[in-house]
Amino acid sequence: MRRQFVTLLGARGTAGLAQAAVLVLVARWMHVADYGALMGWAGALLVAATVADLGVSGYVLVQLPKGRLDTVRRALRLNTVTSLLGGVLFALLGVFLAPAGLAAAFAVLAVAAFLEKNTETLTYVRIAQGDKVIPAVSILLRRLLNLALTPLLYFVFGVPAALAYALGYAIACAIAQVHARRPVRRSIPAGELEGTWAVLRHSLRIMVELAAGGARTLDTAVVGFVAGGAAAGAYAAGTRLANPFVIVAGTLSNVLMPHVSLADHEASRRIARRLALATVVLGAVVIPVAWLISPLLPWLLGPGYEESQQVFAWALPAIFFVGMSTAFAGYLQALGRSGFVAVAAGVNAPVLLGAVALGASLGGAAGAALGLCASSALYVVVLGVRSLVATRAPETVSS
C-alpha cells in the first residue's frame, strides 16, 4: 500500500502542478470575466460528470478487492453508457449556454470532462487491483499532454485560448482513455453480470457523496451570479491554483478504501486516528503557508487578478479541508457507512454554496473564499468525529 500511495502521490503531484501551470497560462490569455465563465462551466461539468459516474469509481474500490467481478462488470458498463450520453447532452447544452465567442470551447470541454471521468473510473479499477504504474501514467498523460497541447494550439495554430485549452484537454483524455481501457479489459475477463439495481442501490449512495462534494465546483458560478464576472474570474484563479494541494488526501482516500474494506476493527480504528492526527497537524501548517505564498499570485496571473491574492490565502486551507473530507468519507464508505456519508454530503453542499454566496455578497471574491474555508472546516470536523467512533456496518458482510 505504501509504494502505491507514494507512486500515485508523485504522479498526481506532478499532474497537479501541470494543471496549475496550464490554468495560469489560460488566465493570462483571457479576459478575467471570460475566464470566470469558463471555469464556472468547468465546475458545472464536474458535478454533471460525477452524477454520470453513478458512484462507480468508489464502488469498485470496495467491491473489487472482495472478488465481486460480476458487480464490477455491470458497474463499468453502466458508467460507460452514462458517460457517453452525458458528454453528448452537455456538449449540446454548452453551445446554447456559452457567452459570445465561447460556444465551441464549452462544447469541447463537456466532451473532455465526461471522457476524463470515465477514464478515471477505469484507473480506479487498477488501483483496487494494486497497480501502481497504469493509474500514475494515466494522470500524467492527461495533464502533461494538456500542458503541451494548449500553448501549441494557441501560439502555433492560432486557436483562441479557451478553445485551445478545451481541445488540448479533450485530446489528452482520449489518449488516456485508450491507455487505461486495455489493461482493464485484460484483468476483468468477460463473464456474469450482476443485476443493474443490485449495483445501483449501493453505488448511488456513494454517488450522492461524490456529487455533493463536486457541487463545491459550482462556487465560481455562484460568485459570478452574486458578485459579477470579474469577481468570479479572480475567485476561480485563486481557487484553481489551490486545487493541486488536495492531491495528497485524494490519493490517500483511493488507496485506503480497498484496504479498509478488508481490515479488522482494530486496524481500521488505527487508520481513523492517523487520519485525524494528520488533519490537525497539516491543517495547522497549511494556513500560514497559504498567507506566505499568496502575495505571489498578482505577479503570476497578471493585471486584473489582484483580488486572487486574498482568495488563495483562504482557498488553500479550504481545499485541504475538502481533501481530508474525501479521505474520511472514503474511510466511512469502506466500513459500510455510505448512508451517513451521503446524508452529510447532501447537507454540506447547500451549506457550502450558501456560505460562498454570503461571503461573495459581503466581501466579493475574498469573502467567498472565506465562506468556502469556514464551511469546509465544519464538514471535515463532522466526518472526522464520525470516523473516530464508527464501527463496521453489518451490511458490508453480505453486500
Side-chain angles (χ1 to χ4, degrees):
M1 183 177 74
R2 184 175 300 174
R3 289 183 179 179
Q4 187 184 42
F5 172 72
V6 171
T7 302
L8 289 175
L9 179 61
R12 288 182 173 175
T14 303
L17 292 175
Q19 177 74 351
V22 74
L23 289 178
V24 167
L25 292 175
V26 174
R28 294 182 69 93
W29 298 337
M30 294 181 67
H31 186 274
V32 178
D34 285 344
Y35 181 75
L38 184 69
M39 292 298 103
W41 178 239
L45 288 173
L46 180 58
V47 177
T50 301
V51 172
D53 178 69
L54 299 176
V56 168
S57 54
Y59 182 76
V60 298
L61 288 173
V62 176
Q63 296 297 315
L64 198 54
K66 298 175 182 178
R68 294 170 182 164
L69 295 184
D70 54 343
T71 64
V72 171
R73 291 189 192 99
R74 174 62 72 187
L76 293 177
R77 287 196 182 187
L78 287 169
N79 187 268
T80 298
V81 171
T82 56
S83 296
L84 286 170
L85 294 176
V88 173
L89 174 63
F90 277 84
L92 294 174
L93 190 61
V95 172
F96 290 102
L97 294 180
L102 293 179
F106 271 43
V108 175
L109 197 62
V111 173
F114 281 86
L115 187 60
E116 177 167 48
K117 188 59 182 174
N118 184 248
T119 302
E120 189 76 4
T121 300
L122 294 173
T123 65
Y124 280 23
V125 172
R126 298 300 299 172
I127 290 173
Q129 293 172 331
D131 190 347
K132 303 184 296 291
V133 177
I134 289 173
V137 172
S138 178
I139 185 62
L140 288 173
L141 272 176
R142 281 174 269 156
R143 295 296 179 253
L144 295 179
L145 279 177
N146 192 14
L147 177 59
L149 289 171
T150 298
L152 178 68
L153 292 167
Y154 180 73
F155 287 116
V156 178
F157 295 97
V159 179
L163 183 56
Y165 170 69
L167 279 173
Y169 182 23
I171 294 169
C173 288
I175 293 172
Q177 168 80 196
V178 174
H179 167 264
R181 188 166 288 276
R182 293 178 64 185
V184 170
R185 283 179 175 173
R186 289 196 302 267
S187 63
I188 303 181
E192 293 183 4
L193 295 172
E194 178 62 274
T196 300
W197 176 243
V199 173
L200 290 178
R201 69 190 181 95
H202 293 292
S203 71
L204 287 179
R205 286 180 291 180
I206 297 176
M207 183 272 286
V208 170
E209 187 275 327
L210 292 173
R216 177 188 65 82
T217 60
L218 296 174
D219 53 359
T220 299
V222 170
V223 174
F225 179 78
V226 174
Y235 177 87
T239 53
R240 292 302 186 275
L241 286 178
N243 274 342
F245 293 89
V246 78
I247 288 168
V248 175
T251 303
L252 186 61
S253 175
N254 297 157
V255 174
L256 277 180
M257 283 183 74
H259 293 275
V260 175
S261 68
L262 299 176
D264 60 28
H265 177 70
E266 286 304 317
S268 61
R269 288 293 300 276
R270 284 196 299 271
I271 292 173
R273 288 193 291 267
R274 289 172 182 175
L275 280 176
L277 180 61
T279 302
V280 173
V281 172
L282 294 177
V285 172
V286 77
I287 294 175
V289 168
W291 285 89
L292 287 173
I293 297 175
S294 60
L296 299 175
L297 262 71
W299 168 81
L300 186 66
L301 295 168
Y305 291 95
E306 290 78 11
E307 197 174 1
S308 295
Q309 175 178 338
Q310 287 183 295
V311 171
F312 183 85
W314 291 114
L316 182 57
I319 295 301
F320 168 74
F321 294 140
V322 168
M324 293 311 297
S325 298
T326 302
F328 282 119
Y331 172 86
L332 288 168
Q333 287 165 346
L335 287 183
R337 301 295 177 179
S338 54
F340 173 84
V341 175
V343 171
V347 173
N348 175 65
V351 169
L352 185 149
L353 293 177
V356 168
L358 178 62
S361 67
L362 296 176
L370 177 57
L372 175 67
C373 185
S375 56
S376 300
L378 176 62
Y379 186 47
V380 78
V381 169
V382 170
L383 292 183
V385 170
R386 185 67 182 91
S387 296
L388 288 172
V389 300
T391 56
R392 188 174 300 278
E395 64 175 350
T396 58
V397 176
S398 58
S399 65

